[in-house]
Amino acid sequence: MNLLKFLREKFRTKRSPLVKQISPTPSSKPTSYSIQSSNKFTPTPTLSPSKSTPKTASKMVNSASNPIILYSHASGPNPWKISILLEELGLAYETRFKEFPDLKVEPYISLNPNGRVPAIEDRNTGIVLAESGAIIQYLIDTYDTEGRLTYSSSTEKYKLLQWLAFQISGQGPYFGQKAWFSNFHAEKVPSAEKRYADEIKRVLGVIDAHLVKQQTEYLVGNKVTYADLAWITWNSLLGWLVPDLDWQKEFPAFAAWNSRLLARPAVKKVLEAKAKMS
């Protein structure tokens, strides 16, 4: 299980960072991957926008010659949320996989004071940013100029923020704690395992009930947005986290929504790449 490896890395000291360059291409053309091993991490310097760079961030141009750098971990769910969004937006990016010892020391700790992944460096705008929710908002505000994965109207715009906040505060922590107490805690704590299993069911029930009540295909209307996409990587671990739960049967609206997301080409591409890293 990928997440097992992800959490176990906390106790390893061996460093073997990988660099993976991903250059999105139009859907009609195949995308090539190159994976290079490295024994030393050298951060890419943050560049300030040139004088010719438009002042309006939403007009910034992202190209393969100046890709966004994404700092990730091979198995951790949160960085792969960013990979999915980058693919959906068709942005050029380079993924640098880090091991846990690297996250707590320089130079990485200056990129993310919390010592976690993900973090990004965007040399098109000169920004360094951490925390998946903040990164998602930045990418949407800066690069989704056509509003393909968001809304411009006030009501829908803030509804999207609501569901992203729920993913960050509800899904991620509860799913993660269930993984911890069921697989890595020093002693068995059945009450803790039950608590987080129940919380997973509650979270699924919230999404299911909302979709049934609204009669929509996605969290906000019938258009897929960044708020939907943020849920995918943790959802993919349900069979491992709660193996005794028949969530497809118990939460059919949630299951149908999740299936629609998994059918997207960008999502398939990223999940396949993640599987290859295991």
Side-chain angles (χ1 to χ4, degrees), residues 1-8 75 183-184 236-241 274 278:
M1 163 50 59
N2 289 340
L3 192 59
L4 282 168
K5 295 178 65 178
F6 171 67
L7 293 173
R8 283 173 178 161
S75 301
N183 299 280
F184 308 107
S236 68
L237 299 174
L238 280 170
W240 176 58
L241 294 171
K274 183 175 184 292
S278 62

Side-chain angles (χ1 to χ4, degrees), residues 10-276:
K10 289 185 177 182
F11 305 102
R12 297 180 58 187
T13 58
K14 180 181 178 181
R15 299 184 183 182
S16 56
L18 296 174
V19 174
K20 181 177 182 179
Q21 178 118 5
I22 303 180
S23 302
T25 57
S27 58
S28 60
K29 299 179 181 180
T31 300
S32 60
Y33 295 79
S34 63
I35 302 177
Q36 302 173 350
S37 61
S38 172
N39 293 321
K40 183 178 180 181
F41 165 53
T42 303
T44 301
T46 301
L47 305 179
S48 300
S50 64
K51 293 181 180 180
S52 62
T53 302
K55 293 182 180 179
T56 304
S58 61
K59 294 182 179 179
M60 293 295 179
V61 177
N62 169 270
S63 67
S65 62
N66 212 22
I68 293 170
I69 299 172
L70 169 62
Y71 296 94
S72 182
H73 187 278
S75 301
N78 286 330
W80 294 92
K81 294 192 301 187
I82 307 305
S83 299
I84 288 174
L85 186 58
L86 289 165
E87 288 289 343
E88 287 280 357
L89 291 173
L91 299 176
Y93 66 106
E94 174 186 314
T95 300
R96 296 187 179 183
F97 292 97
K98 307 302 297 173
E99 302 298 338
F100 276 98
D102 298 314
L103 302 181
K104 304 300 183 182
V105 297
E106 296 292 355
Y108 186 80
I109 201 69
S110 290
L111 300 177
N112 183 357
N114 191 34
R116 298 287 191 274
V117 285
I120 65 165
E121 286 185 88
D122 187 350
R123 294 170 294 174
N124 302 287
T125 63
I127 195 170
V128 174
L129 197 61
E131 297 298 327
S132 61
I135 294 170
I136 288 170
Q137 280 300 294
Y138 166 76
L139 292 174
I140 290 295
D141 290 346
T142 306
Y143 292 108
D144 191 8
T145 57
E146 299 177 355
R148 292 187 295 112
L149 299 174
T150 188
Y151 288 97
S152 58
S153 59
S154 179
T155 299
E156 286 79 7
K157 177 180 177 180
Y158 291 106
K159 289 291 186 181
L160 293 182
L161 287 175
Q162 166 189 293
W163 290 109
L164 178 62
F166 184 42
Q167 188 279 315
I168 295 168
S169 65
Q171 187 206 33
Y174 291 134
F175 283 40
Q177 289 297 317
K178 177 59 168 66
W180 173 262
F181 280 104
S182 292
N183 299 280
F184 308 107
H185 196 60
E187 58 185 8
K188 298 297 290 183
V189 186
S191 60
E193 291 188 58
K194 183 180 185 304
R195 165 175 166 71
Y196 291 113
D198 289 344
E199 284 299 312
I200 289 176
K201 295 175 187 177
R202 185 186 68 80
V203 168
L204 301 188
V206 170
I207 299 295
D208 190 81
H210 169 72
L211 293 170
V212 170
K213 184 176 183 180
Q214 298 298 315
Q215 289 295 295
T216 56
E217 292 189 346
Y218 298 101
L219 293 175
V220 181
N222 290 311
K223 166 184 171 180
V224 67
T225 67
Y226 69 83
D228 301 284
L229 298 169
W231 290 73
I232 293 170
T233 53
W234 280 106
N235 283 351
S236 68
L237 299 174
L238 280 170
W240 176 58
L241 294 171
V242 281
D244 297 329
L245 175 65
D246 188 353
W247 54 271
Q248 292 96 334
K249 181 178 180 180
E250 191 166 339
F251 305 105
F254 168 88
W257 166 71
N258 190 59
S259 294
R260 285 191 287 274
L261 296 174
L262 292 177
R264 298 182 65 81
V267 174
K268 288 181 177 179
K269 175 181 176 180
V270 170
L271 293 183
E272 288 172 1
K274 183 175 184 292
K276 291 178 181 178

